Amino acid sequence: MGLEYGSPAARKFITTIGLITSDGPWGPNIMAAEWTHHISYNPGLIAVFPRPSRATTENIKKTKVFGVNIAAIDQNVISSIAGGNTGKEIDKIAVLKELGFEFYPAKKIKVLMVKGAAANIECKLVKTVKLGDHTMFVGKALEVSSIEKESIAYNGGKYYRLGEKIEKPPQEVLDKIAITLERHKKK
Ligand SMILES: Cc1cc2nc3c(=O)[nH]c(=O)nc-3n(C[C@H](O)[C@H](O)[C@H](O)COP(=O)(O)O)c2cc1C
């Protein structure tokens, strides 16, 4: 069965936003991807999931590189523009530059990176898998940097900043958990 866009269960996922930068047949481009996941520490691997119809998909297939810029809490406007328009029709990079947002050339690949993102990761494509109605591109990190800025959180079509930290349970509950774990140890 489907797990449709906007359905109650689909809206329970909380994600970061990857601002995926690319170059290729559609020129320098940026898209918003809530499905951006860190999937290996060593080597550093990241999976992004654009639909086959996206300009980004065609760019990455051609050049086999992409930038992952983890959107910071003050980058919701970049995400909305990158996610609300296609590079097949609009030069989003030019729009964003004109609106005052800044980019810098990636060090290891021929792609623009977003200045002021919480993290910037330059990726080389190592695997492509068509999965359902999206394509998974796995990128190997070639260059990584991050700054002291919180990532934006995304849920049910809205942007959030992370709120209050959930406190640990009281010590007696932690003790009970430890005893219970001990009792259920596999021999
Ligand atoms: C916050 C947000 C998250 C999104 N996440 C994804 C995603 O993970 N995968 C996807 O295919 N489209 C996603 N989209 C939609 C694309 O960003 C949108 O279709 C965009 O126009 C594609 O750009 P392109 O055609 O220039 O590549 C998202 C949109 C927004 C606003």
Side-chain angles (χ1 to χ4, degrees), residues 17 29 31-35 49-51 54-56 79 82-83 85-87 92 134 154 159:
I17 297 289
N29 194 31
M31 82 168 260
E34 59 175 309
W35 295 351
F49 299 79
R51 280 186 190 265
R54 311 294 190 218
T56 299
S79 175
N85 302 277
T86 174
K92 292 183 266 186
H134 283 62
Y154 189 66
Y159 301 104

Side-chain angles (χ1 to χ4, degrees), residues 78-141:
I78 304 184
S79 175
S80 295
I81 291 171
N85 302 277
T86 174
K88 292 184 178 178
E89 291 166 3
I90 299 217
D91 183 345
K92 292 183 266 186
I93 301 282
V95 170
L96 288 165
K97 281 183 177 170
E98 199 168 316
L99 292 172
F101 298 105
E102 293 181 81
F103 296 85
Y104 67 89
K107 294 189 178 73
K108 302 276 169 63
I109 57 179
K110 199 185 145 289
V111 151
L112 290 172
M113 303 297 285
V114 180
K115 257 197 188 169
N120 298 96
I121 304 155
E122 301 177 19
C123 296
K124 174 179 171 255
L125 183 67
V126 292
K127 198 171 187 68
T128 303
V129 184
K130 172 86 172 62
L131 290 169
D133 49 21
H134 283 62
T135 299
M136 176 177 76
F137 288 127
V138 177
K140 185 173 171 205

Side-chain angles (χ1 to χ4, degrees), residues 14-68:
I14 301 170
T15 64
T16 44
I17 297 289
L19 299 167
I20 311 304
T21 46
S22 62
D23 204 339
W26 295 103
N29 194 31
I30 178 166
M31 82 168 260
E34 59 175 309
W35 295 351
T36 299
H37 302 287
H38 182 192
I39 57 167
S40 165
Y41 291 121
N42 204 350
L45 297 176
I46 300 205
V48 299
F49 299 79
R51 280 186 190 265
S53 59
R54 311 294 190 218
T56 299
T57 305
E58 293 178 31
N59 271 358
I60 296 175
K61 276 193 165 162
K62 182 77 185 168
T63 60
K64 312 218 175 324
V65 293
F66 57 95
V68 174

